[in-house]
Amino acid sequence: LLAIGIDGQSEDGNKAYSADFLLEKKLPNLGVVNVESEYAKYDHFGGYAGDSSDGYYILGSYLFPQVVGVGKFQPLIKYAHANYQFDTGPTPNDSQRTFDIELNYIMKTFNARMSLYFLDVKYDHDVAGIDHKVVGIGLQLQL
């Protein structure tokens, strides 16, 4: 699967646009590799912190072919970077860097998933948010 998307929106002089990429490749008897990325820019259009922002992420994952119990394991890693511009305030700019590591257990073709994850979020100036780290367990069910 290869997908490339581009979109844009404008209203009353406010603009937003993004471009994204997805590549999912099934390897014979070796599992599935997934790579995706996105770039987005918001100019007084909402979406993120700040009056204007732009950023990107890149994600890679690998779905093991072996079934363990009722599902398969999928390690995932993601890096994201966002820049925020503020029209008012003591510090007009801030940057956010996010690092995400997950181990997913995929069941029923992505209709059920359990996750163990670690998230590390850092800001340059702590204007848009506060540095934090999160370790968690997640459960996703789709009916």
Side-chain angles (χ1 to χ4, degrees), residues 24 33-34 58 69 80 91 99 105 113 117 125 132 135:
E24 189 172 279
V33 173
N34 179 58
I58 184 162
T91 305
F99 187 63
Y105 184 63
R113 167 195 324 225
Y117 61 90
H125 302 291
H132 59 280
V135 174

mmCIF file of all heavy atoms in Angstrom, residues 24 33-34 58 69 80 91 99 105 113 117 125 132 135:
data_model
loop_
_atom_site.group_PDB
_atom_site.id
_atom_site.type_symbol
_atom_site.label_atom_id
_atom_site.label_comp_id
_atom_site.label_asym_id
_atom_site.label_seq_id
_atom_site.Cartn_x
_atom_site.Cartn_y
_atom_site.Cartn_z
ATOM 1 N N GLU A 24 3.066 0.797 3.298
ATOM 2 C CA GLU A 24 2.911 -0.447 4.048
ATOM 3 C C GLU A 24 3.273 -1.578 3.109
ATOM 4 O O GLU A 24 2.659 -1.728 2.048
ATOM 5 C CB GLU A 24 1.472 -0.580 4.545
ATOM 6 C CG GLU A 24 1.274 -1.717 5.507
ATOM 7 C CD GLU A 24 -0.117 -1.697 6.110
ATOM 8 O OE1 GLU A 24 -0.337 -0.930 7.061
ATOM 9 O OE2 GLU A 24 -0.973 -2.435 5.599
ATOM 10 N N VAL A 33 6.093 -4.168 7.088
ATOM 11 C CA VAL A 33 6.803 -2.946 7.440
ATOM 12 C C VAL A 33 5.905 -1.758 7.101
ATOM 13 O O VAL A 33 5.275 -1.733 6.044
ATOM 14 C CB VAL A 33 8.133 -2.835 6.652
ATOM 15 C CG1 VAL A 33 8.783 -1.487 6.883
ATOM 16 C CG2 VAL A 33 9.074 -3.957 7.035
ATOM 17 N N ASN A 34 5.855 -0.793 7.998
ATOM 18 C CA ASN A 34 5.039 0.391 7.802
ATOM 19 C C ASN A 34 5.897 1.637 8.049
ATOM 20 O O ASN A 34 6.590 1.722 9.055
ATOM 21 C CB ASN A 34 3.854 0.374 8.781
ATOM 22 C CG ASN A 34 2.977 1.588 8.650
ATOM 23 O OD1 ASN A 34 2.443 1.870 7.592
ATOM 24 N ND2 ASN A 34 2.830 2.323 9.744
ATOM 25 N N ILE A 58 7.527 11.374 11.738
ATOM 26 C CA ILE A 58 7.883 10.196 10.967
ATOM 27 C C ILE A 58 7.696 8.998 11.894
ATOM 28 O O ILE A 58 8.038 9.062 13.079
ATOM 29 C CB ILE A 58 9.305 10.276 10.377
ATOM 30 C CG1 ILE A 58 9.566 9.068 9.499
ATOM 31 C CG2 ILE A 58 10.348 10.441 11.451
ATOM 32 C CD1 ILE A 58 10.721 9.225 8.550
ATOM 33 N N GLY A 69 -0.669 -16.559 20.605
ATOM 34 C CA GLY A 69 -2.016 -16.528 21.181
ATOM 35 C C GLY A 69 -3.009 -16.203 20.090
ATOM 36 O O GLY A 69 -3.109 -16.918 19.100
ATOM 37 N N ALA A 80 8.269 13.270 16.445
ATOM 38 C CA ALA A 80 7.508 14.421 15.946
ATOM 39 C C ALA A 80 8.170 15.707 16.417
ATOM 40 O O ALA A 80 8.753 15.761 17.506
ATOM 41 C CB ALA A 80 6.068 14.363 16.442
ATOM 42 N N THR A 91 7.378 35.148 25.247
ATOM 43 C CA THR A 91 8.209 34.364 24.333
ATOM 44 C C THR A 91 7.374 34.050 23.107
ATOM 45 O O THR A 91 6.417 33.298 23.188
ATOM 46 C CB THR A 91 8.680 33.060 25.003
ATOM 47 O OG1 THR A 91 9.337 33.389 26.220
ATOM 48 C CG2 THR A 91 9.627 32.293 24.115
ATOM 49 N N PHE A 99 8.939 11.958 21.327
ATOM 50 C CA PHE A 99 9.500 10.659 20.996
ATOM 51 C C PHE A 99 8.579 9.607 21.586
ATOM 52 O O PHE A 99 8.270 9.645 22.775
ATOM 53 C CB PHE A 99 10.915 10.555 21.581
ATOM 54 C CG PHE A 99 11.659 9.336 21.166
ATOM 55 C CD1 PHE A 99 11.980 9.119 19.834
ATOM 56 C CD2 PHE A 99 12.043 8.403 22.102
ATOM 57 C CE1 PHE A 99 12.677 7.988 19.452
ATOM 58 C CE2 PHE A 99 12.739 7.265 21.733
ATOM 59 C CZ PHE A 99 13.061 7.066 20.398
ATOM 60 N N TYR A 105 0.137 -5.251 20.635
ATOM 61 C CA TYR A 105 -0.313 -6.625 20.415
ATOM 62 C C TYR A 105 -1.589 -6.514 19.598
ATOM 63 O O TYR A 105 -2.628 -6.068 20.090
ATOM 64 C CB TYR A 105 -0.555 -7.332 21.747
ATOM 65 C CG TYR A 105 -0.941 -8.781 21.626
ATOM 66 C CD1 TYR A 105 -0.074 -9.714 21.066
ATOM 67 C CD2 TYR A 105 -2.173 -9.225 22.083
ATOM 68 C CE1 TYR A 105 -0.419 -11.047 20.972
ATOM 69 C CE2 TYR A 105 -2.532 -10.561 21.996
ATOM 70 C CZ TYR A 105 -1.651 -11.462 21.447
ATOM 71 O OH TYR A 105 -2.005 -12.803 21.349
ATOM 72 N N ARG A 113 -6.548 -4.020 19.920
ATOM 73 C CA ARG A 113 -5.121 -3.800 20.110
ATOM 74 C C ARG A 113 -4.850 -3.486 21.582
ATOM 75 O O ARG A 113 -5.590 -2.736 22.213
ATOM 76 C CB ARG A 113 -4.690 -2.623 19.243
ATOM 77 C CG ARG A 113 -3.338 -2.072 19.553
ATOM 78 C CD ARG A 113 -3.065 -0.707 18.938
ATOM 79 N NE ARG A 113 -3.639 -0.529 17.642
ATOM 80 C CZ ARG A 113 -3.016 0.007 16.607
ATOM 81 N NH1 ARG A 113 -1.788 0.415 16.725
ATOM 82 N NH2 ARG A 113 -3.612 0.153 15.463
ATOM 83 N N TYR A 117 3.339 1.611 26.071
ATOM 84 C CA TYR A 117 3.974 2.728 25.386
ATOM 85 C C TYR A 117 4.764 3.615 26.342
ATOM 86 O O TYR A 117 4.504 3.669 27.543
ATOM 87 C CB TYR A 117 2.955 3.570 24.620
ATOM 88 C CG TYR A 117 1.879 4.192 25.479
ATOM 89 C CD1 TYR A 117 2.046 5.448 26.037
ATOM 90 C CD2 TYR A 117 0.686 3.519 25.718
ATOM 91 C CE1 TYR A 117 1.058 6.024 26.813
ATOM 92 C CE2 TYR A 117 -0.309 4.085 26.499
ATOM 93 C CZ TYR A 117 -0.114 5.330 27.041
ATOM 94 O OH TYR A 117 -1.093 5.894 27.821
ATOM 95 N N HIS A 125 10.914 26.159 25.446
ATOM 96 C CA HIS A 125 10.697 27.259 26.389
ATOM 97 C C HIS A 125 9.536 27.020 27.347
ATOM 98 O O HIS A 125 9.213 27.896 28.132
ATOM 99 C CB HIS A 125 10.439 28.569 25.627
ATOM 100 C CG HIS A 125 11.553 28.929 24.699
ATOM 101 N ND1 HIS A 125 12.792 29.332 25.130
ATOM 102 C CD2 HIS A 125 11.617 28.922 23.355
ATOM 103 C CE1 HIS A 125 13.567 29.567 24.096
ATOM 104 N NE2 HIS A 125 12.880 29.329 22.994
ATOM 105 N N HIS A 132 7.254 16.435 29.762
ATOM 106 C CA HIS A 132 6.709 15.315 30.527
ATOM 107 C C HIS A 132 7.036 13.990 29.858
ATOM 108 O O HIS A 132 7.326 13.941 28.660
ATOM 109 C CB HIS A 132 5.198 15.463 30.734
ATOM 110 C CG HIS A 132 4.405 15.531 29.474
ATOM 111 N ND1 HIS A 132 4.290 16.688 28.725
ATOM 112 C CD2 HIS A 132 3.690 14.593 28.809
ATOM 113 C CE1 HIS A 132 3.525 16.452 27.673
ATOM 114 N NE2 HIS A 132 3.152 15.187 27.687
ATOM 115 N N VAL A 135 4.411 6.668 30.733
ATOM 116 C CA VAL A 135 4.455 5.232 30.455
ATOM 117 C C VAL A 135 3.029 4.740 30.666
ATOM 118 O O VAL A 135 2.390 5.095 31.674
ATOM 119 C CB VAL A 135 5.426 4.495 31.400
ATOM 120 C CG1 VAL A 135 5.355 2.989 31.187
ATOM 121 C CG2 VAL A 135 6.839 4.999 31.196
#
